[in-house]
Amino acid sequence: MPVKTEKHTRFADELRLIPRWAWVLAGLGLICIPILFVTVLSHDPKAPSFGGLVALGILAGLFMPCYFLLIVYVNHDAGRRGMNRVIWTLLAIFVPNALGIILYFLLRQPLPSLCPHCGARTQSGYGYCPKCGKNLTLHCNRCQHAVHADDVYCPYCGNALSSTDSSLPAPQPQQS
Ligand SMILES: [Zn+2]
Ligand SMILES: [Zn+2]
């Protein structure tokens, strides 16, 4: 059922934002960083025992690719949300202790939604589409509550929106 998988799908959608090359690099890092770590530091007389080095190497090999993927995600997500990609990517890279990334997740703007009439980008507060001027606030024609464009039934009165409400442009119920 769609309700069950929705959360999972959304997370997968977010992950799909990260391009394949970044996943490949992260995978390489996962393998190479521990090897490099152990090879370089095992010559250091002050280094911990070999077992300790391997454990630290694996930790670094997990941590650094994750950090890298987060930065790539910030870069792509900022563009999708109409935010400054360069500035947010630089903040994510250079602000220490991942504070730039945390700041990004706190301050990022909501995803723009698309106008159901012309497909232009709109924002949550918009009452009318900036491109085609059509009304973006959809109402159930039985109870007059505001409803979502992808609602198939009115959540307030159960009215079947797709068939009876002509003010709804394209609810497109997914038929299985
Ligand atoms: Zn429009
Ligand atoms: Zn209703």
Side-chain angles (χ1 to χ4, degrees), residues 38-56:
V38 174
T39 339
V40 172
L41 284 189
S42 57
H43 300 298
D44 190 334
K46 277 179 279 177
S49 68
F50 186 76
L53 269 183
V54 172
L56 280 175

Side-chain angles (χ1 to χ4, degrees), residues 68-131:
F68 166 74
L69 287 175
L70 269 173
I71 291 168
V72 176
Y73 175 80
V74 166
N75 178 277
H76 282 76
D77 191 54
R80 187 169 67 141
R81 290 166 196 267
M83 297 163 73
N84 193 316
R85 281 177 77 166
V86 179
I87 286 181
W88 280 107
T89 309
L90 289 177
L91 283 175
I93 296 172
F94 291 111
V95 179
N97 302 324
L99 279 179
I101 295 174
I102 295 169
L103 209 66
Y104 173 77
F105 282 105
L106 290 178
L107 297 179
R108 69 178 182 174
Q109 286 170 10
L111 269 180
S113 41
L114 301 180
C115 167
H117 304 282
C118 72
R121 282 191 170 202
T122 62
Q123 278 172 19
S124 54
Y126 288 6
Y128 294 87
C129 171
K131 280 273 151 61

